[in-house]
Amino acid sequence: MNQARTFLLIAWMLVGYLVWDTWQQDYHRPQATSPTPSAAADQQASVVPNASGDLPEFKPASGQAVEPTVEAAAASDHSRRVRIHTDVLELEVDTRGASIVTADLLAYRQQATGDAPPVRLLDTAANRYFIAQTGYVGSRPELPNHLSNFQVDADSFSLAEGQDSLEVPFSWEGANGLRLVRTLRLTRGSYAIEVQDRFENSSAEPASFQAYRQLLRVQPPALPGSSFTNPAAYSFVGAAWYSPQGKFDKLKFADFQDEPLDLKNAQGWVAMLEHYFFAAWIPQAEEIHEFSTGIESSDRYRVRALGPVLELSAGGNLQNSARLYIGPKLQDQLEGIAPGLKLTLDYGIFTILAQPMAWLLGILHDLTGNWGWAIVLLVVLLKAALFKLSEAQYKSFAKMRAVQPRIEALKERYGEDRQKFQTAMMELYKKEKINPMGGCLPILIQIPIFISLYWVLIEAVELRHAPWILWIQNLTAPDPYFVLPILNLLTMWATQKLSPTPGMDPVQKRIMQIMPIAFGVMFAFFPAGLVLYWTTNGALGLLQQWVITRRHAATATPAKS
């Protein structure tokens, strides 16, 4: 296989993948459907009340069934919103269940303009519905759940200047002698919220119950414009979870009904992911949980962690806590919050290569203070590390380029007899000690590395709305003046001129000539950060190929036959 055909095959495979993935995004989005009878029965058997307010039967560890009351649903009519403000988060907590129902990420804007509103990750709007809930189910007919009415002393709380943390207490009291104080503890600069629950039992009867934590959301609306050139269209959206036993896994919304999660004896966390941001419940590491997914109200997708049975003695007290992360996918912080949490940066099958490159990209940004120059330096370092492989590839190019006139002469000699032409061409390769596959192996080895870097750039929230130089003030938006796409087009054209095309028929040559224009037009609509990566990689490859071609021109030119 000659080099041009190899390049052509790789390019069309890339285009084919992008077209297929876009088709999946645009035409295979999950539709809101009612659960099947069996799925509906499973939901009715759930131990946790659903969003509509129904409180189904709960069976504690003893197996004795208890009918809960509907006190929570009635009391929820008197709920109100409490606003909590820190340096990075602005939350609204509904006193119905002390549930976090809106969350604005103050360091991230919806658009690149300075006056744009912050990103709202949690929301109660119908088309963006996404909330975090927690509560308890157990042996008592009245336990605080996400429908219960909590009390709080004020309508707003703010992290004061010079204050490192903020605590917001919510309280619930039941008629059966149980009392719960839920304290939300927020820390300066952190997106992790500690949810601390303290139970007091003033009755003469013990109680047993389980804590549940869940995230509930709808399928996000379709992205505006074409998803073909929007990296967000290729990022995973759905539920994810991690446990040391089963490691990281995820579930698309389209698979919730047919492939529901039911994981027993799990430790770890559950989450809902989208491009750049996510929310996750992180229970205490030593607790054993049951992880599950489900569909409520036909269009709300739920992921849940149900904790172990807790025993509260008569007259005793008990504490139970978990953390709720609501924020960006920050590569350098997530692993310090919980094991496996950095896997929410979804690089797919390229994770093992992409994670070190994401770490290195962060180091280069620390050195340069600019994400655009960090991308350029990262590509330079990768090209340097792969220099020997590239050198072997370009040496093969140089040798094949040198014999190209003789191959053209063979083509004219044998005309339409393709078999004789191929035989004569292979004899020429053998005589001149040219391996026609010599340039393929280096290309194949480099492909996973540079695709991994491609996914790093797609997933890196740090690049979102980040400037580079002069006219490029947003690396996640297209180049406004098409400078980088034009440079990329010229780089591809020059590389094509340096690459040998022995044995190619006129149709193949025509396709090769069109490809730089096709990719140049396509890249005009891609984010500038990705085009910067492709252009830098192509320009360095072109320079290396030109130097090696000139260096080996004399030795690679064979004597006339």
Side-chain angles (χ1 to χ4, degrees), residues 32 54 184 194 206 250 257 298 303 321 345 381 483 504 552 555:
D54 299 328
L184 305 184
E194 190 168 356
K250 56 191 179 182
Q257 186 163 309
S298 79
V303 62
S321 64
L345 284 111
L381 291 177
V483 175
M504 292 189 71
H552 294 276
T555 57

Side-chain angles (χ1 to χ4, degrees), residues 257-322:
Q257 186 163 309
D258 296 331
E259 304 174 20
L261 169 67
D262 185 16
L263 181 62
K264 311 290 186 183
N265 301 321
Q267 295 171 292
W269 46 264
V270 295
M272 285 285 192
L273 311 184
E274 62 181 58
H275 192 220
Y276 293 138
F277 309 105
F278 74 106
W281 274 112
I282 309 169
Q284 295 181 21
E286 66 275 8
E287 290 185 349
I288 302 298
H289 284 73
E290 297 179 15
F291 294 167
S292 64
T293 57
I295 305 175
E296 296 183 6
S297 304
S298 79
D299 65 344
R300 293 180 179 178
Y301 300 88
R302 182 196 67 235
V303 62
R304 173 189 295 158
L306 179 65
V309 175
L310 305 173
E311 301 290 346
L312 177 59
S313 61
N317 58 69
L318 178 149
Q319 295 191 34
N320 184 252
S321 64

Side-chain angles (χ1 to χ4, degrees), residues 46 88 209 216 229 237 344 374 429 445 485 490 492 508 526 532:
S46 170
V88 295
F209 42 78
L216 195 67
T229 56
V237 179
T344 55
Y429 285 159
I445 292 175
L490 295 174
M492 289 186 66
Q508 290 175 322
F526 270 66
L532 175 62

Side-chain angles (χ1 to χ4, degrees), residues 167-387:
E167 294 187 352
V168 182
F170 294 81
S171 62
W172 170 91
E173 292 192 26
N176 55 7
L178 289 181
R179 182 174 187 269
L180 169 64
V181 176
R182 173 169 297 156
T183 303
L184 305 184
R185 189 175 189 273
L186 300 94
T187 304
R188 181 175 295 276
S190 176
Y191 294 95
I193 305 163
E194 190 168 356
V195 182
Q196 303 170 335
D197 285 353
R198 177 181 172 84
F199 270 100
E200 297 176 357
N201 184 7
S202 60
S203 73
E205 297 292 332
S208 61
F209 42 78
Q210 294 171 270
Y212 65 89
R213 283 109 185 172
Q214 60 189 28
L215 297 164
L216 195 67
R217 75 168 300 169
V218 297
Q219 170 78 29
L223 297 169
S226 172
S227 61
F228 184 75
T229 56
N230 190 338
Y234 309 115
S235 188
F236 175 81
V237 179
W241 57 93
Y242 174 88
S243 69
Q245 299 81 8
K247 301 303 179 183
F248 175 78
D249 208 346
K250 56 191 179 182
L251 185 68
K252 297 178 182 178
F253 291 128
D255 298 328
F256 262 57
Q257 186 163 309
D258 296 331
E259 304 174 20
L261 169 67
D262 185 16
L263 181 62
K264 311 290 186 183
N265 301 321
Q267 295 171 292
W269 46 264
V270 295
M272 285 285 192
L273 311 184
E274 62 181 58
H275 192 220
Y276 293 138
F277 309 105
F278 74 106
W281 274 112
I282 309 169
Q284 295 181 21
E286 66 275 8
E287 290 185 349
I288 302 298
H289 284 73
E290 297 179 15
F291 294 167
S292 64
T293 57
I295 305 175
E296 296 183 6
S297 304
S298 79
D299 65 344
R300 293 180 179 178
Y301 300 88
R302 182 196 67 235
V303 62
R304 173 189 295 158
L306 179 65
V309 175
L310 305 173
E311 301 290 346
L312 177 59
S313 61
N317 58 69
L318 178 149
Q319 295 191 34
N320 184 252
S321 64
R323 286 175 295 164
L324 175 63
Y325 184 91
I326 307 172
K329 301 176 183 178
L330 296 171
Q331 168 82 14
D332 60 338
Q333 297 182 19
L334 294 180
E335 196 64 17
I337 296 173
L341 203 61
K342 70 177 180 182
L343 295 174
T344 55
L345 284 111
D346 185 30
Y347 304 128
I349 61 174
F350 299 103
T351 296
I352 193 170
L353 294 174
Q355 283 186 344
M357 282 192 280
W359 172 82
L360 181 56
L361 185 65
I363 296 296
L364 294 174
H365 173 261
D366 292 340
L367 294 175
T368 64
N370 183 289
W371 287 107
W373 291 120
I375 293 172
V376 172
L377 286 179
L378 182 58
V379 177
V380 170
L381 291 177
L382 285 175
K383 294 296 284 187
L386 298 170
F387 178 81

Side-chain angles (χ1 to χ4, degrees), residues 362-486:
I363 296 296
L364 294 174
H365 173 261
D366 292 340
L367 294 175
T368 64
N370 183 289
W371 287 107
W373 291 120
I375 293 172
V376 172
L377 286 179
L378 182 58
V379 177
V380 170
L381 291 177
L382 285 175
K383 294 296 284 187
L386 298 170
F387 178 81
K388 285 298 181 182
L389 283 174
S390 300
E391 186 179 37
Q393 172 191 339
Y394 296 138
K395 281 182 180 179
S396 178
F397 277 8
K399 291 180 180 180
M400 294 185 69
R401 182 180 177 82
V403 301
Q404 188 169 348
R406 299 172 66 186
I407 291 176
E408 292 296 330
L410 290 175
K411 184 185 294 186
E412 291 180 5
R413 180 186 304 176
Y414 293 107
E416 297 297 323
D417 194 336
R418 299 289 296 175
Q419 183 174 356
K420 287 186 177 180
F421 167 69
Q422 292 289 340
T423 302
M425 185 170 64
M426 295 307 296
E427 288 178 355
L428 177 62
Y429 285 159
K430 184 177 181 181
K431 178 181 178 182
E432 301 298 338
K433 298 179 180 179
I434 297 174
N435 180 4
M437 297 294 291
C440 296
L441 181 60
I443 292 176
L444 293 176
I445 292 175
Q446 293 176 64
I447 285 174
I449 296 173
F450 282 98
I451 290 180
S452 299
L453 178 56
Y454 173 83
W455 281 108
V456 167
L457 300 182
I458 283 180
E459 286 291 306
V461 68
E462 293 85 354
L463 267 64
R464 187 177 183 271
H465 300 165
W468 180 36
I469 56 172
L470 300 176
W471 74 100
I472 294 181
Q473 295 300 308
N474 182 2
L475 286 169
T476 54
D479 183 337
Y481 300 110
F482 309 111
V483 175
L484 286 176
I486 292 173

Side-chain angles (χ1 to χ4, degrees), residues 47-68:
V47 300
V48 180
N50 59 37
S52 65
D54 299 328
L55 299 175
E57 180 182 23
F58 169 73
K59 293 185 178 181
S62 63
Q64 179 182 1
V66 177
E67 289 287 344

